Amino acid sequence: MDNKQLIKINLPGGVASAGDFYEMLIIAQNAGAKQVRFGNRQQMYFEIEETQLEDLEFDMLSAGIDHEVNQDTYPNITSSYIADGIFNQENWLKEGVYKDIFDLFDYQPELKINLVDSNQTFASFFTGNLNFISSPVSNYWYLYIRFPKTNILYCWPVLVYSDDIPAIGKAIQQVIFANKKLFYDQVEINPDKLYQLVTAGYQFVIQEIDQPLIIPEFQLPYYEGFNKQGNKYWLGIYRRHELFDIEFLKEICNLCMQTRVGQLYFSPWKSLLIKNIEAKHRPLWGNLLNKYRVNIRHASNELNWQVEDLCNPCLELKQQLVSEFEEADLRTYGLSFAIKRSPKSGIYGSIMIRARMPDEFEIVHTRDFNHNTREFVIYKQGVAKADLSRHLTALCDMFYEQQINNLSPLPVSKTNTEIKSPDQKTVHQCKSCFTIYDELYGDIFNNIEPGMPFENLSYYECPTCGAEKENFAELMYQAD
């Protein structure tokens, strides 16, 4: 019988001091953990035996470390703080601004909150429920709300002041949870009503929006290895199996403290970054990597993947596809890939591989192939595991052809298609989250057998966002 207990510790903003992180590692190790892993929202996970749980809880309480056991009630506050000084351009959003905002949070959010620099593409823009994105105006942010358990995105009508971010996040959360029938897991939502309710009860410093948010072209920086940072260096460490040995991490913390490197950074790509390494200390870091035999030069087409947290089938599929990409010497620059098995997991990519039935998948992509946009286009359905690499290669070719010719993606909706050709088929797509229902495959999540026509379903609920049958529209796409 498996009595493993999963422990989650949020690392707000994806940053922790070397001393604080060392203390977390010691507590985990004392409870019997040997390895930890990091999540898509810059949190830390490890497993312990149930018999160790009481002692761990006591140690966590004594150290004042918030944590959850087998739960994720309080999602981590994620940020692009990790990109500051290495992956972004010069602007007003600096280390001190992030720190001031984190310090003002006097509660644990139950909604997902993102703090993102609009000048970088390392951290995703819209994977949170409350997405604060830096504006051109110093200390003011755009706010994009993705209502819980929906794909409905709403731009707050005014810019939000930095110091108000924790308070406005708390106010919005309170209003949404007090009015779930209006704003939580609903097919249709009146966002203006939320704005009215929040602003009626609270006063915030605001600024008018005089120019819309410009989403930059997606380019994932190479985030591994030793790299120049002015007259210093930064080091990125990625682990193919997502597992970091605690002993290795403890030595990293010790070396940080010995060489006056104050903080560690945890990326949404499940990697670890150390900044501000003095040139004279670089050999010490090289020796540490040698000691633990840590490779720091993986191929780029292995680094641009998002897989669900704690999902071994997702990780195994990624490794299979990466191996096949390597064999084919496939170019994937400018793209990101995501493997999604759970309908409501928050992972995201410009190309998404979604499990629909055991060992059968559908491939979708964002309309413009930008990792940070949210409109999906169906590419292929009913793809066997063995055929995924072939179809993904063809989709990459399509992306580069569009880049070369500066073409827009092909229209796919019925309203843009005058004639249905013999090699096209009709499916039904959710208008809220773009999930596809194809009668050929049915819906394993709703226990609907293959072959059931959509029209014959007396009742249907979207497995991803919960929308009802009336929220689905006909869609034609290219069949195999």
Side-chain angles (χ1 to χ4, degrees), residues 136-288:
V137 183
S138 179
N139 270 297
Y140 283 90
W141 304 68
Y142 300 100
L143 168 57
Y144 281 82
I145 298 177
R146 181 169 57 85
F147 288 89
K149 299 186 182 297
T150 79
N151 205 41
I152 300 171
L153 198 64
Y154 169 63
C155 179
W156 203 249
V158 293
L159 299 178
V160 176
Y161 185 55
S162 289
D163 288 356
D164 281 343
I165 285 176
I168 198 170
K170 189 174 186 178
I172 291 172
Q173 177 174 295
Q174 288 174 341
V175 171
I176 288 178
F177 285 175
N179 299 274
K180 285 191 172 183
K181 291 184 178 180
L182 296 177
F183 307 120
Y184 191 98
D185 199 10
Q186 300 298 313
V187 175
E188 294 184 2
I189 289 175
N190 180 359
D192 294 331
K193 182 66 174 176
L194 175 70
Y195 180 76
Q196 293 167 9
L197 291 172
V198 171
T199 55
Y202 303 89
Q203 292 294 323
F204 300 108
V205 179
I206 63 170
Q207 182 90 4
E208 295 299 319
I209 297 177
D210 61 5
Q211 55 182 298
L213 170 67
I214 298 174
I215 299 175
E217 180 182 347
F218 176 76
Q219 292 182 350
L220 182 66
Y222 192 86
Y223 57 85
E224 201 188 19
F226 282 107
N227 302 271
K228 290 288 287 184
Q229 182 187 359
N231 61 353
K232 298 181 180 180
Y233 289 88
W234 64 268
L235 169 63
I237 303 173
Y238 157 88
R239 303 303 286 152
R240 178 167 284 168
H241 299 287
E242 299 184 354
L243 295 171
F244 289 75
D245 288 342
I246 288 179
E247 280 298 327
F248 172 55
L249 293 176
K250 284 169 58 183
E251 289 210 39
I252 285 178
C253 292
N254 281 325
L255 188 51
C256 283
M257 290 184 279
Q258 291 166 16
T259 58
R260 298 182 183 275
V261 172
Q263 298 181 140
L264 300 172
Y265 300 85
F266 310 89
S267 86
W269 303 87
K270 304 185 179 181
S271 62
L272 171 66
L273 271 69
I274 302 104
K275 302 184 193 177
N276 298 308
I277 297 173
E278 298 280 356
K280 65 182 179 182
H281 295 143
R282 178 171 173 175
L284 298 176
W285 289 97
N287 285 339
L288 181 55

Side-chain angles (χ1 to χ4, degrees), residues 358-376:
D359 289 325
E360 283 197 7
F361 302 85
E362 67 179 11
I363 302 172
V364 300
H365 63 87
T366 53
R367 182 166 289 279
D368 59 359
F369 287 97
N370 190 319
H371 177 91
N372 286 310
T373 56
R374 297 202 62 83
E375 186 177 358
F376 287 117

Side-chain angles (χ1 to χ4, degrees), residues 286-345:
N287 285 339
L288 181 55
L289 296 173
N290 291 341
K291 178 179 178 179
Y292 287 92
R293 312 296 195 269
V294 175
N295 176 31
I296 55 169
R297 281 297 169 190
H298 294 86
S300 294
N301 62 13
E302 182 173 352
L303 300 179
N304 57 351
W305 288 79
Q306 294 273 15
V307 300
E308 291 180 12
D309 292 340
L310 311 170
C311 179
N312 287 329
C314 293
L315 191 57
E316 290 168 4
L317 179 56
K318 171 195 168 179
Q319 291 165 347
Q320 171 196 315
L321 292 171
V322 167
S323 176
E324 291 171 357
F325 283 10
E326 277 292 297
E327 181 68 25
D329 197 20
L330 182 67
R331 177 177 174 83
T332 62
Y333 178 79
L335 294 168
S336 64
F337 299 83
I339 299 176
K340 187 180 179 78
R341 294 186 72 91
S342 174
K344 297 190 179 183
S345 66

Side-chain angles (χ1 to χ4, degrees), residues 347-397:
I347 65 163
Y348 206 70
S350 51
I351 295 176
M352 294 185 63
I353 302 142
R354 303 198 289 209
R356 298 294 291 160
M357 295 179 67
D359 289 325
E360 283 197 7
F361 302 85
E362 67 179 11
I363 302 172
V364 300
H365 63 87
T366 53
R367 182 166 289 279
D368 59 359
F369 287 97
N370 190 319
H371 177 91
N372 286 310
T373 56
R374 297 202 62 83
E375 186 177 358
F376 287 117
V377 173
I378 187 76
Y379 179 65
K380 293 289 181 182
Q381 281 198 304
V383 180
K385 187 176 181 180
D387 294 329
L388 279 171
S389 180
R390 174 170 61 88
H391 289 300
L392 291 169
T393 299
L395 186 54
C396 290
D397 288 341

